[in-house]
Coordinates of all heavy atoms in Angstrom, one line a residue:
M1 N 76.2 -112.4 50.9 CA 74.8 -112.9 51.0 C 74.9 -114.4 51.1 O 75.6 -115.0 50.3 CB 74.0 -112.4 49.8 CG 72.6 -112.8 49.8 SD 71.6 -112.3 48.4 CE 71.6 -110.5 48.6
S2 N 74.1 -115.0 52.0 CA 74.1 -116.4 52.1 C 73.4 -117.1 50.9 O 72.7 -116.4 50.2 CB 73.4 -116.8 53.4 OG 72.0 -116.6 53.3
E3 N 73.7 -118.4 50.8 CA 73.1 -119.1 49.7 C 71.5 -119.1 49.9 O 70.8 -118.9 48.9 CB 73.5 -120.6 49.7 CG 72.9 -121.4 48.6 CD 73.4 -122.9 48.7 OE1 74.2 -123.3 49.5 OE2 72.9 -123.6 47.8
K4 N 71.1 -119.2 51.1 CA 69.6 -119.2 51.4 C 69.0 -117.8 51.0 O 68.0 -117.8 50.3 CB 69.3 -119.5 52.8 CG 67.8 -119.6 53.1 CD 67.6 -120.0 54.6 CE 67.7 -118.9 55.5 NZ 67.3 -119.1 56.8
A5 N 69.7 -116.8 51.3 CA 69.2 -115.4 50.9 C 69.2 -115.2 49.4 O 68.3 -114.6 48.9 CB 70.1 -114.4 51.6
K6 N 70.2 -115.8 48.7 CA 70.3 -115.7 47.3 C 69.1 -116.4 46.6 O 68.5 -116.0 45.7 CB 71.6 -116.2 46.7 CG 72.8 -115.3 47.0 CD 74.1 -116.0 46.5 CE 75.3 -115.1 46.9 NZ 76.5 -115.8 46.5
L7 N 68.8 -117.6 47.2 CA 67.7 -118.4 46.7 C 66.4 -117.7 46.9 O 65.5 -117.6 46.0 CB 67.7 -119.8 47.3 CG 68.8 -120.7 47.0 CD1 68.8 -122.0 47.9 CD2 68.8 -121.1 45.5
I8 N 66.2 -117.1 48.1 CA 65.0 -116.4 48.4 C 64.9 -115.2 47.5 O 63.8 -114.9 47.0 CB 65.0 -115.9 49.9 CG1 64.8 -117.2 50.8 CG2 63.8 -114.9 50.1 CD1 65.0 -116.9 52.2
Q9 N 65.9 -114.5 47.2 CA 65.9 -113.3 46.3 C 65.5 -113.8 44.9 O 64.7 -113.1 44.2 CB 67.3 -112.7 46.2 CG 67.3 -111.4 45.4 CD 66.4 -110.3 45.9 OE1 66.3 -110.1 47.1 NE2 65.7 -109.6 45.0
E10 N 66.0 -114.9 44.5 CA 65.7 -115.5 43.1 C 64.2 -115.8 43.1 O 63.5 -115.5 42.1 CB 66.5 -116.7 42.8 CG 66.3 -117.2 41.4 CD 67.2 -118.4 41.1 OE1 68.1 -118.7 41.8 OE2 66.9 -119.0 40.0
M11 N 63.7 -116.3 44.2 CA 62.2 -116.7 44.3 C 61.4 -115.4 44.2 O 60.3 -115.3 43.5 CB 61.9 -117.4 45.5 CG 62.5 -118.8 45.5 SD 62.3 -119.6 47.2 CE 60.6 -119.9 47.2
L12 N 61.8 -114.3 44.9 CA 61.1 -113.1 44.9 C 61.1 -112.5 43.5 O 60.1 -111.9 43.0 CB 61.7 -112.1 45.9 CG 61.5 -112.5 47.3 CD1 62.3 -111.6 48.2 CD2 60.0 -112.4 47.7
E13 N 62.2 -112.6 42.8 CA 62.3 -112.1 41.4 C 61.3 -112.9 40.5 O 60.7 -112.3 39.6 CB 63.7 -112.2 40.9 CG 64.6 -111.1 41.4 CD 64.2 -109.7 41.1 OE1 63.8 -109.4 39.9 OE2 64.3 -108.8 42.0
M14 N 61.3 -114.2 40.7 CA 60.4 -115.0 39.9 C 58.9 -114.6 40.2 O 58.1 -114.5 39.2 CB 60.5 -116.5 40.2 CG 61.8 -117.1 39.7 SD 62.0 -118.8 40.2 CE 60.7 -119.6 39.2
Q15 N 58.6 -114.3 41.4 CA 57.2 -113.9 41.8 C 56.9 -112.6 41.1 O 55.8 -112.4 40.6 CB 57.1 -113.8 43.3 CG 57.1 -115.1 44.0 CD 57.0 -114.9 45.5 OE1 57.0 -113.8 46.0 NE2 57.0 -116.0 46.2
K16 N 57.8 -111.7 41.1 CA 57.6 -110.3 40.5 C 57.4 -110.5 39.0 O 56.4 -109.9 38.5 CB 58.9 -109.5 40.7 CG 58.8 -108.1 40.1 CD 60.0 -107.3 40.4 CE 59.9 -106.0 39.7 NZ 61.2 -105.2 39.8
K17 N 58.2 -111.3 38.3 CA 58.0 -111.5 36.9 C 56.7 -112.2 36.6 O 56.0 -111.9 35.6 CB 59.2 -112.3 36.3 CG 60.5 -111.6 36.2 CD 61.6 -112.4 35.7 CE 62.9 -111.7 35.7 NZ 64.0 -112.5 35.2
F18 N 56.3 -113.1 37.5 CA 55.0 -113.8 37.3 C 53.9 -112.8 37.4 O 52.9 -112.8 36.6 CB 54.8 -114.9 38.3 CG 53.6 -115.7 38.2 CD1 53.5 -116.8 37.4 CD2 52.4 -115.3 38.9 CE1 52.3 -117.5 37.3 CE2 51.2 -116.0 38.8 CZ 51.2 -117.1 38.0
R19 N 53.9 -112.0 38.4 CA 52.8 -111.0 38.6 C 52.8 -110.0 37.4 O 51.7 -109.7 37.0 CB 53.0 -110.2 39.9 CG 52.7 -111.0 41.1 CD 52.7 -110.1 42.4 NE 53.8 -109.2 42.5 CZ 54.9 -109.6 43.2 NH1 55.0 -110.7 43.7 NH2 55.9 -108.7 43.3
E20 N 53.9 -109.6 36.9 CA 53.9 -108.7 35.7 C 53.3 -109.4 34.5 O 52.5 -108.8 33.8 CB 55.4 -108.3 35.4 CG 55.9 -107.3 36.5 CD 57.4 -107.0 36.3 OE1 58.1 -107.7 35.4 OE2 57.9 -106.2 37.1
Y21 N 53.7 -110.7 34.3 CA 53.1 -111.4 33.2 C 51.6 -111.6 33.4 O 50.9 -111.4 32.4 CB 53.8 -112.8 33.1 CG 53.2 -113.6 31.9 CD1 53.8 -113.5 30.7 CD2 52.2 -114.4 32.1 CE1 53.3 -114.2 29.6 CE2 51.6 -115.2 31.0 CZ 52.2 -115.0 29.8 OH 51.7 -115.7 28.7
E22 N 51.2 -111.9 34.6 CA 49.8 -112.1 34.8 C 49.0 -110.8 34.6 O 47.9 -110.8 34.0 CB 49.6 -112.6 36.3 CG 48.1 -112.8 36.6 CD 48.0 -113.3 38.1 OE1 48.8 -112.9 38.9 OE2 47.0 -114.0 38.3
H23 N 49.5 -109.7 35.0 CA 48.9 -108.4 34.9 C 48.7 -108.1 33.4 O 47.7 -107.6 33.0 CB 49.7 -107.3 35.6 CG 49.0 -106.0 35.5 ND1 47.9 -105.7 36.2 CD2 49.3 -104.9 34.8 CE1 47.5 -104.4 36.0 NE2 48.4 -103.9 35.1
K24 N 49.7 -108.4 32.6 CA 49.7 -108.0 31.2 C 48.9 -109.0 30.3 O 48.2 -108.6 29.4 CB 51.1 -108.0 30.6 CG 51.9 -106.8 31.0 CD 53.3 -106.9 30.4 CE 54.2 -105.8 30.9 NZ 55.6 -105.8 30.3
H25 N 49.0 -110.3 30.6 CA 48.4 -111.3 29.8 C 47.3 -112.2 30.4 O 46.6 -112.9 29.7 CB 49.5 -112.3 29.3 CG 50.7 -111.5 28.7 ND1 50.7 -111.0 27.4 CD2 51.9 -111.3 29.2 CE1 51.8 -110.4 27.2 NE2 52.6 -110.6 28.2
G26 N 47.3 -112.2 31.7 CA 46.4 -113.1 32.4 C 47.1 -114.5 32.4 O 48.0 -114.7 31.6
V27 N 46.7 -115.4 33.3 CA 47.3 -116.7 33.4 C 46.2 -117.7 33.4 O 45.4 -117.7 34.3 CB 48.2 -116.8 34.6 CG1 48.8 -118.2 34.8 CG2 49.4 -115.8 34.6
T28 N 46.3 -118.6 32.5 CA 45.3 -119.8 32.5 C 45.9 -120.9 33.2 O 47.2 -121.0 33.5 CB 45.0 -120.2 31.0 OG1 46.2 -120.8 30.5 CG2 44.5 -119.0 30.2
A29 N 45.1 -121.9 33.5 CA 45.6 -123.1 34.2 C 46.7 -123.8 33.3 O 47.7 -124.3 33.8 CB 44.5 -124.1 34.5
A30 N 46.4 -123.8 32.0 CA 47.4 -124.4 31.0 C 48.7 -123.6 31.1 O 49.8 -124.3 31.0 CB 46.8 -124.4 29.6
D31 N 48.7 -122.3 31.2 CA 49.9 -121.5 31.3 C 50.7 -121.9 32.5 O 51.9 -122.1 32.5 CB 49.6 -120.0 31.4 CG 49.1 -119.4 30.1 OD1 49.2 -120.0 29.1 OD2 48.4 -118.3 30.3
Y32 N 50.0 -122.1 33.6 CA 50.6 -122.3 34.9 C 51.1 -123.8 35.1 O 52.2 -124.0 35.5 CB 49.7 -122.0 36.0 CG 50.3 -122.1 37.4 CD1 51.3 -121.1 37.8 CD2 50.0 -123.1 38.3 CE1 51.8 -121.2 39.1 CE2 50.6 -123.2 39.5 CZ 51.5 -122.2 39.9 OH 52.1 -122.3 41.2
Y33 N 50.3 -124.7 34.6 CA 50.6 -126.1 34.9 C 51.2 -126.8 33.7 O 51.9 -127.8 33.9 CB 49.3 -126.9 35.2 CG 48.8 -126.6 36.6 CD1 47.7 -125.7 36.7 CD2 49.4 -127.0 37.7 CE1 47.2 -125.4 38.0 CE2 48.9 -126.7 39.0 CZ 47.9 -125.9 39.1 OH 47.4 -125.6 40.4
A34 N 51.0 -126.3 32.5 CA 51.6 -127.1 31.3 C 52.0 -126.1 30.2 O 51.8 -126.4 29.0 CB 50.5 -128.0 30.8
A35 N 52.7 -125.1 30.5 CA 53.2 -124.2 29.5 C 54.2 -124.9 28.6 O 55.0 -125.7 29.0 CB 53.8 -122.9 30.1
K36 N 54.0 -124.6 27.3 CA 54.9 -125.2 26.3 C 56.3 -124.6 26.4 O 56.5 -123.4 26.8 CB 54.3 -125.1 24.9 CG 52.9 -125.6 24.8 CD 52.9 -127.1 24.8 CE 51.5 -127.7 24.6 NZ 51.2 -128.9 25.3
E37 N 57.3 -125.3 25.9 CA 58.6 -124.8 25.8 C 58.6 -123.5 25.0 O 57.9 -123.4 24.0 CB 59.6 -125.8 25.1 CG 61.0 -125.4 25.2 CD 61.9 -126.6 24.8 OE1 61.5 -127.7 24.6 OE2 63.1 -126.3 24.7
G38 N 59.3 -122.5 25.5 CA 59.4 -121.2 24.8 C 58.4 -120.2 25.5 O 58.6 -119.0 25.3
H39 N 57.4 -120.7 26.2 CA 56.5 -119.8 26.9 C 57.2 -119.2 28.1 O 58.0 -119.9 28.7 CB 55.2 -120.6 27.4 CG 54.1 -119.8 27.9 ND1 54.1 -119.3 29.1 CD2 52.9 -119.5 27.3 CE1 53.0 -118.6 29.3 NE2 52.3 -118.7 28.2
E40 N 56.8 -118.0 28.4 CA 57.5 -117.3 29.6 C 57.3 -118.1 30.9 O 58.2 -118.0 31.8 CB 56.9 -115.9 29.7 CG 57.8 -115.0 30.5 CD 57.4 -113.5 30.4 OE1 56.9 -113.1 29.3 OE2 57.7 -112.8 31.3
L41 N 56.3 -118.8 31.0 CA 56.0 -119.6 32.3 C 56.4 -121.1 32.2 O 56.2 -121.8 33.1 CB 54.6 -119.5 32.7 CG 54.1 -118.1 33.0 CD1 52.6 -118.1 33.4 CD2 54.9 -117.5 34.1
Y42 N 57.1 -121.4 31.1 CA 57.6 -122.8 30.9 C 58.4 -123.2 32.1 O 59.4 -122.6 32.5 CB 58.4 -122.9 29.6 CG 58.9 -124.3 29.4 CD1 58.1 -125.4 29.1 CD2 60.3 -124.6 29.4 CE1 58.6 -126.7 28.9 CE2 60.8 -125.8 29.1 CZ 59.9 -126.9 28.9 OH 60.4 -128.1 28.6
Q43 N 58.0 -124.3 32.8 CA 58.6 -124.9 34.0 C 58.7 -123.9 35.2 O 59.6 -124.1 36.1 CB 60.0 -125.5 33.6 CG 59.9 -126.6 32.7 CD 61.2 -127.3 32.4 OE1 62.2 -126.7 32.5 NE2 61.1 -128.6 32.1
Y44 N 57.9 -122.9 35.2 CA 57.9 -122.0 36.3 C 57.7 -122.7 37.7 O 58.4 -122.5 38.6 CB 56.9 -120.9 36.1 CG 56.7 -120.0 37.3 CD1 57.5 -118.9 37.5 CD2 55.7 -120.2 38.3 CE1 57.4 -118.1 38.6 CE2 55.6 -119.4 39.4 CZ 56.4 -118.3 39.5 OH 56.3 -117.5 40.6
R45 N 56.6 -123.5 37.7 CA 56.2 -124.2 38.9 C 57.3 -125.1 39.4 O 57.7 -125.1 40.6 CB 55.0 -125.0 38.7 CG 53.7 -124.4 39.1 CD 52.5 -125.3 38.9 NE 52.7 -126.5 38.1 CZ 52.8 -127.8 38.6 NH1 52.7 -128.0 39.9 NH2 52.9 -128.8 37.8
E46 N 57.9 -125.8 38.5 CA 59.0 -126.8 38.8 C 60.2 -126.1 39.4 O 60.8 -126.5 40.4 CB 59.3 -127.6 37.6 CG 58.2 -128.6 37.1 CD 57.3 -127.9 36.1 OE1 57.3 -126.7 36.0 OE2 56.5 -128.7 35.5
K47 N 60.6 -125.0 38.7 CA 61.8 -124.2 39.2 C 61.5 -123.6 40.5 O 62.4 -123.7 41.4 CB 62.1 -123.2 38.1 CG 63.2 -122.2 38.5 CD 64.6 -122.9 38.6 CE 65.7 -121.9 38.8 NZ 66.9 -122.6 39.1
Y48 N 60.3 -123.0 40.7 CA 60.0 -122.4 42.0 C 60.0 -123.4 43.1 O 60.5 -123.2 44.2 CB 58.7 -121.7 41.9 CG 58.4 -120.7 43.0 CD1 58.9 -119.4 43.0 CD2 57.8 -121.2 44.2 CE1 58.7 -118.6 44.0 CE2 57.6 -120.3 45.3 CZ 58.0 -119.0 45.2 OH 57.9 -118.1 46.2
A49 N 59.4 -124.6 42.9 CA 59.4 -125.7 43.9 C 60.8 -126.1 44.2 O 61.1 -126.4 45.4 CB 58.5 -126.8 43.4
E50 N 61.6 -126.2 43.2 CA 63.0 -126.7 43.4 C 63.7 -125.7 44.4 O 64.4 -126.1 45.3 CB 63.7 -126.8 42.1 CG 65.2 -127.1 42.2 CD 65.9 -127.1 40.8 OE1 65.3 -127.5 39.8 OE2 67.0 -126.6 40.8
L51 N 63.5 -124.4 44.1 CA 64.2 -123.4 44.9 C 63.6 -123.4 46.4 O 64.4 -123.3 47.3 CB 64.0 -122.0 44.3 CG 64.7 -121.7 43.0 CD1 64.2 -120.4 42.4 CD2 66.2 -121.8 43.1
A52 N 62.3 -123.6 46.5 CA 61.7 -123.6 47.8 C 62.2 -124.9 48.6 O 62.5 -124.7 49.8 CB 60.2 -123.7 47.7
D53 N 62.4 -126.0 47.9 CA 62.9 -127.2 48.6 C 64.4 -126.9 49.1 O 64.8 -127.3 50.2 CB 62.9 -128.4 47.6 CG 61.5 -129.0 47.5 OD1 60.6 -128.7 48.3 OD2 61.4 -129.7 46.5
K54 N 65.2 -126.2 48.3 CA 66.5 -125.9 48.7 C 66.6 -125.0 49.9 O 67.3 -125.2 50.8 CB 67.3 -125.3 47.5 CG 67.7 -126.2 46.4 CD 68.4 -125.6 45.3 CE 68.7 -126.5 44.2 NZ 69.4 -125.8 43.0
V55 N 65.7 -124.0 49.9 CA 65.6 -123.0 51.0 C 65.2 -123.8 52.3 O 65.8 -123.6 53.3 CB 64.6 -121.9 50.7 CG1 64.3 -121.1 52.0 CG2 65.2 -121.0 49.7
N56 N 64.2 -124.7 52.1 CA 63.8 -125.5 53.2 C 64.9 -126.4 53.8 O 65.1 -126.5 55.0 CB 62.6 -126.4 52.8 CG 61.9 -127.0 53.9 OD1 62.1 -126.7 55.1 ND2 61.1 -128.0 53.6
A57 N 65.6 -127.0 52.9 CA 66.8 -127.9 53.3 C 67.8 -127.0 54.0 O 68.4 -127.5 55.1 CB 67.3 -128.6 52.1
L58 N 68.1 -125.9 53.5 CA 69.1 -125.0 54.2 C 68.7 -124.5 55.5 O 69.5 -124.5 56.5 CB 69.5 -123.8 53.3 CG 70.3 -124.1 52.0 CD1 70.3 -122.9 51.1 CD2 71.7 -124.6 52.4
A59 N 67.4 -124.2 55.7 CA 66.9 -123.8 57.0 C 67.0 -124.9 58.0 O 67.3 -124.7 59.1 CB 65.4 -123.3 56.8
H60 N 66.6 -126.2 57.6 CA 66.8 -127.3 58.4 C 68.2 -127.5 58.8 O 68.5 -127.8 60.0 CB 66.2 -128.6 57.8 CG 64.8 -128.7 57.9 ND1 64.1 -129.2 59.0 CD2 63.8 -128.5 57.0 CE1 62.8 -129.2 58.9 NE2 62.6 -128.8 57.6
K61 N 69.1 -127.4 57.9 CA 70.6 -127.5 58.2 C 71.0 -126.5 59.2 O 71.8 -126.8 60.1 CB 71.3 -127.4 56.9 CG 72.8 -127.7 57.0 CD 73.5 -127.7 55.7 CE 75.0 -128.0 55.8 NZ 75.7 -127.9 54.5
E62 N 70.6 -125.2 59.0 CA 71.0 -124.2 59.9 C 70.5 -124.5 61.4 O 71.2 -124.2 62.3 CB 70.3 -122.8 59.5 CG 71.0 -122.2 58.4 CD 70.2 -120.9 57.9 OE1 69.3 -120.5 58.6 OE2 70.6 -120.3 56.9
K63 N 69.4 -125.1 61.5 CA 68.8 -125.4 62.8 C 69.3 -126.7 63.4 O 68.9 -127.1 64.5 CB 67.3 -125.3 62.8 CG 66.8 -123.9 62.6 CD 67.1 -123.0 63.7 CE 66.6 -121.6 63.5 NZ 67.0 -120.7 64.6
G64 N 70.0 -127.5 62.5 CA 70.5 -128.8 63.0 C 69.5 -129.9 62.9 O 69.6 -130.9 63.5
S65 N 68.4 -129.6 62.2 CA 67.3 -130.6 62.1 C 67.7 -131.6 60.9 O 68.0 -131.2 59.9 CB 66.0 -129.9 61.7 OG 65.0 -130.9 61.3
T66 N 67.6 -132.8 61.2 CA 67.9 -133.9 60.2 C 66.6 -134.7 59.9 O 66.7 -135.7 59.3 CB 69.0 -134.8 60.6 OG1 68.7 -135.4 61.9 CG2 70.3 -134.0 60.8
R67 N 65.5 -134.2 60.4 CA 64.3 -135.0 60.3 C 64.0 -135.3 58.8 O 63.5 -136.4 58.5 CB 63.1 -134.3 61.0 CG 61.8 -135.1 60.9 CD 60.8 -134.4 61.6 NE 59.5 -135.2 61.4 CZ 58.4 -134.8 61.8 NH1 58.2 -133.6 62.4 NH2 57.3 -135.5 61.5
F68 N 64.1 -134.3 58.0 CA 63.7 -134.4 56.6 C 64.9 -134.4 55.6 O 64.8 -134.8 54.5 CB 62.8 -133.3 56.2 CG 61.5 -133.3 57.0 CD1 61.3 -132.3 57.9 CD2 60.5 -134.3 56.7 CE1 60.1 -132.3 58.7 CE2 59.3 -134.3 57.5 CZ 59.1 -133.3 58.4
Y69 N 66.1 -134.0 56.1 CA 67.2 -133.8 55.2 C 68.4 -134.4 55.7 O 68.8 -134.3 56.8 CB 67.4 -132.4 54.8 CG 66.2 -131.8 54.1 CD1 65.2 -131.1 54.9 CD2 65.9 -132.0 52.8 CE1 64.1 -130.6 54.3 CE2 64.8 -131.5 52.2 CZ 63.9 -130.8 52.9 OH 62.7 -130.3 52.3

């Protein structure tokens, strides 16, 4: 499995866990944007954005685009 595929799989797992948490507990803006350390969603947004940036960079590299990376 390629690095990009592994990152996408990780993102899908994160989405699945997020949906499960949201279904059980609901998600407030504070949970999503400013969850405290120890909270299940702590740094969720940051981690997801980091993975998305890596996938984007790998996709540009595959296509030979150097415009952004």
Side-chain angles (χ1 to χ4, degrees):
M1 182 182 294
S2 71
E3 180 181 0
K4 186 174 78 172
K6 287 177 186 177
L7 293 171
I8 292 169
Q9 185 61 40
E10 186 176 348
M11 291 171 71
L12 291 171
E13 287 297 318
M14 287 179 70
Q15 289 175 0
K16 180 181 175 186
K17 289 178 184 178
F18 180 90
R19 285 190 313 270
E20 289 171 356
Y21 180 88
E22 181 181 29
H23 183 73
K24 288 181 184 178
H25 308 284
V27 175
T28 66
D31 291 338
Y32 187 72
Y33 290 102
K36 303 290 186 215
E37 190 169 351
H39 190 283
E40 199 166 331
L41 296 178
Y42 178 66
Q43 293 188 333
Y44 173 84
R45 265 183 345 106
E46 294 86 347
K47 175 67 174 172
Y48 194 87
E50 177 185 321
L51 294 173
D53 285 344
K54 287 180 183 179
V55 169
N56 190 16
L58 289 170
H60 277 282
K61 186 176 179 182
E62 283 176 5
K63 293 296 180 183
S65 171
T66 58
R67 181 174 176 193
F68 299 106
Y69 301 97

